[in-house]
Amino acid sequence: MLSDLPKDLAEEVLSKFPVTSLRRVRFTCKKWNTLSKDGSFTRKHIDKEEAKKKQRKEFHVVMMLDFRVSLFSLNLLKPNPIERLGQLISLDDTDQVDISNIFHCDGFLLCTMKDISRLVVWNPCSGQTLWIKPRKSFNKLDRYALGYDVMKNHKVLRFVDHCNYRTEPLLREFEIYSFESDSWKVLDVNPDWEVDFVHRGLSVDGNSYWFARDKVSIWGGGHSYFLLCFDFTTERFGPRLALPFQPFFGDTVALSSVGDNQIAVLCQRSSSPYTLKIWISSKIEPNAVSWNKLFLKVDMKPLTGVSFSYSGGSFFVDEEKKVAVVLDKKIGGGFDPTRNIAYIIGKEGYFKKVDLGESRNLTCWPLGCSYVPSSVQIKHKTA
């Protein structure tokens, strides 16, 4: 009987499973269920997996394709550099749910539902979930962020700021949810900036950053663009942070995390030769940012013939190999929304396309974020 195995042998068997698949084995027997939830075992298992990934020079990312979330391995030394490790466990054991957006912070994923009826924080490693009810209701134009304060209390920021052509608010709501109190709190924010709906927040050291622009009515002049941080300790937005470039209307701009405390920003011009540039920060804080030299510069016209979609551009960087992986629909040689593609771009003309499979939903762009499993439990107030 599996339940009769000694603890050390049971640990050895369970260690053969990826951390994100442990939830499957919990239904095997009560002993394995208890062991797989043990914090010390999980931490040892994660450390062992991370050491193996470092040795193999690979890293894991989470991608949302066709409203489903999957775990992928990226190893650019392999003939097949991007490998799907499997779809992450369903948030609902009895039915699949359509996920429209994902945000990563501290090993947790914040998932928004396509039907905007629910919001959930999820630890794929432990399978633990926290379903969050709205204070009033969620909105299809909502922006979200997941972070934590200096005491490691996790929180969710939700805001919507929909204005008319004169920049007068038609719908403005800023609120923050605390895991600790299991409640929403309304924030008093009167922004002179805006965040485009397609630009997702990015978590670094517990705080969230967005690509933003100032509000200008149709009677005003041009926009200025900048980074904006929300500090989850002070529960306030910080000052405008300088970008290493000034984009034009229609350019593709995206943010990505690098390691634990750096941020990368991608900008691709919307006009020929569709030059793509990526910078990596040397320092990033709620009130200050500085940038390293240009990480990558590539003219994409000979490679794709067009720019990446304004709605796409989700990307990762491999600092050691000096390459970027950009997610989008199939472009070049004719736009094909039925295929999800990863474009691997490097210096000296290095370029490779990896087909991620069919996209049955033509309006669902592939999204991705770096992922490091965590044994941290979702701490929240219980009734």
Side-chain angles (χ1 to χ4, degrees):
M1 295 286 290
L2 292 174
S3 58
D4 295 332
L5 289 175
K7 182 180 178 182
D8 57 345
L9 186 55
E11 286 188 357
E12 181 65 25
V13 173
L14 289 179
S15 67
K16 304 297 183 183
F17 292 89
V19 172
T20 50
S21 296
L22 285 180
R23 192 180 177 195
R24 295 184 187 277
V25 306
R26 289 176 187 148
F27 299 100
T28 305
C29 65
K30 187 179 294 187
K31 183 177 179 180
W32 282 26
N33 179 48
T34 302
L35 180 58
S36 66
K37 292 180 179 178
D38 182 79
S40 61
F41 166 73
T42 305
R43 284 190 294 272
K44 284 192 296 183
H45 193 358
I46 290 173
D47 290 342
K48 189 180 294 186
E49 274 201 0
E50 292 303 304
K52 288 180 180 178
K53 284 191 291 184
K54 188 174 182 179
Q55 187 177 25
R56 295 192 296 260
K57 298 185 181 298
E58 69 180 32
F59 59 97
H60 287 176
V61 298
V62 168
M63 295 187 198
M64 187 201 77
L65 306 173
D66 264 16
F67 304 114
R68 295 290 183 265
V69 179
S70 296
L71 184 68
F72 286 79
S73 170
L74 270 64
N75 186 335
L76 301 178
L77 298 177
K78 290 183 176 180
N80 181 17
I82 301 179
E83 178 185 358
R84 186 195 295 260
L85 300 179
Q87 185 171 307
L88 293 179
I89 303 298
S90 170
L91 291 170
D92 187 326
D93 288 330
T94 61
D95 190 20
Q96 289 283 5
V97 291
D98 286 341
I99 297 172
S100 61
N101 220 331
I102 53 174
F103 310 84
H104 175 257
C105 175
D106 203 28
F108 298 162
L109 294 179
L110 171 63
C111 304
T112 64
M113 304 297 109
K114 181 184 176 184
D115 63 5
I116 71 169
S117 64
R118 296 182 287 178
L119 191 66
V120 64
V121 177
W122 176 32
N123 185 339
C125 178
S126 66
Q128 188 183 13
T129 58
L130 172 62
W131 292 93
I132 300 173
K133 297 179 180 179
R135 183 176 62 89
K136 291 183 178 179
S137 63
F138 296 132
N139 188 283
K140 64 180 180 179
L141 297 177
D142 284 345
R143 280 76 158 171
Y144 292 97
L146 176 63
Y148 54 83
D149 61 24
V150 70
M151 300 302 293
K152 272 282 189 172
N153 297 314
H154 289 82
K155 304 174 184 180
V156 172
L157 173 71
R158 169 191 170 264
F159 68 94
V160 56
D161 186 27
H162 183 49
C163 300
N164 64 13
Y165 66 91
R166 296 179 183 272
T167 72
E168 297 166 344
L170 301 177
L171 174 63
R172 176 174 292 165
E173 295 176 354
F174 286 79
E175 56 187 14
I176 192 165
Y177 173 84
S178 168
F179 291 19
E180 190 176 38
S181 65
D182 185 28
S183 63
W184 290 94
K185 179 172 70 175
V186 176
L187 303 179
D188 184 14
V189 181
N190 185 22
D192 59 355
W193 46 262
E194 58 186 356
V195 175
D196 199 302
F197 181 71
V198 300
H199 291 126
R200 297 184 302 150
L202 176 74
S203 176
V204 178
D205 282 341
N207 298 313
S208 290
Y209 297 82
W210 286 269
F211 170 67
R213 64 191 179 200
D214 60 345
K215 287 181 178 177
V216 179
S217 75
I218 61 171
W219 315 117
H223 291 283
S224 62
Y225 297 85
F226 44 88
L227 278 184
L228 189 70
C229 176
F230 183 81
D231 188 323
F232 278 90
T233 297
T234 63
E235 297 185 350
R236 295 188 178 193
F237 288 95
R240 301 179 179 195
L241 305 177
L243 290 163
F245 59 90
Q246 195 56 227
F248 299 105
F249 179 79
D251 288 350
T252 297
V253 178
L255 303 178
S256 181
S257 59
V258 182
D260 296 328
N261 51 18
Q262 288 178 287
I263 192 170
V265 58
L266 174 152
C267 178
Q268 185 184 20
R269 297 303 184 193
S270 58
S271 57
S272 182
Y274 311 112
T275 304
L276 180 147
K277 296 180 181 179
I278 295 176
W279 291 261
I280 297 177
S281 66
S282 56
K283 171 187 176 182
I284 183 77
E285 296 175 352
N287 299 313
V289 64
S290 57
W291 300 95
N292 289 315
K293 292 181 180 179
L294 186 65
F295 172 74
L296 186 65
K297 177 181 177 181
V298 180
D299 287 341
M300 297 299 295
K301 185 176 182 178
L303 305 177
T304 62
V306 294
S307 64
F308 291 112
S309 169
Y310 183 76
S311 301
S314 187
F315 76 105
F316 316 99
V317 298
D318 189 321
E319 282 191 281
E320 184 178 340
K321 301 180 182 66
K322 304 293 184 183
V323 300
V325 180
V326 183
L327 307 181
D328 204 341
K329 299 285 191 178
K330 182 180 181 296
I331 59 175
F335 175 68
D336 182 1
T338 67
R339 307 304 300 180
N340 291 316
I341 305 292
Y343 299 85
I344 306 175
I345 307 161
K347 294 184 176 181
E348 299 178 356
Y350 180 82
F351 181 69
K352 187 171 185 176
K353 293 189 291 186
V354 178
D355 193 316
L356 300 175
E358 182 184 6
S359 177
R360 291 180 296 277
N361 192 298
L362 307 186
T363 61
C364 181
W365 258 257
L367 297 176
C369 57
S370 299
Y371 174 72
V372 178
S374 171
S375 60
V376 175
Q377 293 292 304
I378 299 177
K379 297 179 181 179
H380 63 99
K381 181 180 179 180
T382 54

